[in-house]
Amino acid sequence: QVHLVESGGGSVQAGGSLRLSCVVSGNTFKGACMGWVRQVPGKERESVAAIDSDDDTTYADSVKGRFTVSKENAKNTLYLQMNNLKTEDTAMYYCALDPASYGISSGGNCYNGFHDWGQGTQVTVYS
């Protein structure tokens, strides 16, 4: 069973930075496609960024040039470095993965979607 635990959320002024972390338990980390998805209450979930087992990455247009997704296999940890944050980045951020990775697709997604999810960490950006 896969277990994902996010951390690193918080409140930051617009223009600031945060780094989210996601520790993944289980044996699926190295071969998985993993990513970050965010959601604002009342709105649909938005894929933000994803990275596959070959370290190929993909981003939503709204975060390109500001966010960087990365992973550290030795620590079973996924990261999201968020720079130049904007108020519209305010959301609950979820770590997610597809253990049977078929790679990434456009717009910050895994090709086969996300199948396992963490509980989320809140990011609030104020002006």
Side-chain angles (χ1 to χ4, degrees):
Q1 185 176 358
V2 178
H3 191 51
L4 297 84
V5 179
E6 304 95 334
S7 62
S11 295
V12 63
Q13 192 170 20
S17 298
L18 283 174
R19 188 174 82 154
L20 306 183
S21 299
C22 174
V23 178
V24 181
S25 65
N27 298 320
T28 60
F29 188 87
K30 289 183 179 179
C33 178
M34 294 173 286
W36 296 91
V37 178
R38 65 187 181 188
Q39 188 168 24
V40 175
K43 294 187 177 181
E44 292 188 359
R45 289 184 302 192
E46 177 189 14
S47 294
V48 174
I51 183 169
D52 68 11
S53 57
D54 294 326
D55 288 341
D56 293 324
T57 58
T58 174
Y59 297 92
D61 287 343
S62 59
V63 306
K64 279 181 181 176
R66 301 189 297 121
F67 290 13
T68 302
V69 61
S70 63
K71 60 186 175 76
E72 191 169 355
N73 290 338
K75 295 185 177 181
N76 274 23
T77 302
L78 177 72
Y79 302 102
L80 184 68
Q81 177 67 44
M82 304 185 294
N83 298 330
N84 190 23
L85 282 160
K86 303 177 180 180
T87 55
E88 52 262 43
D89 295 319
T90 294
M92 184 71 78
Y93 283 71
Y94 297 91
C95 173
L97 66 79
D98 170 22
S101 174
Y102 292 93
I104 56 174
S105 64
S106 61
N109 289 295
C110 290
Y111 184 81
N112 203 35
F114 296 109
H115 295 270
D116 297 286
W117 297 80
Q119 294 299 306
T121 186
Q122 178 67 37
V123 171
T124 301
V125 184
Y126 57 90
S127 59

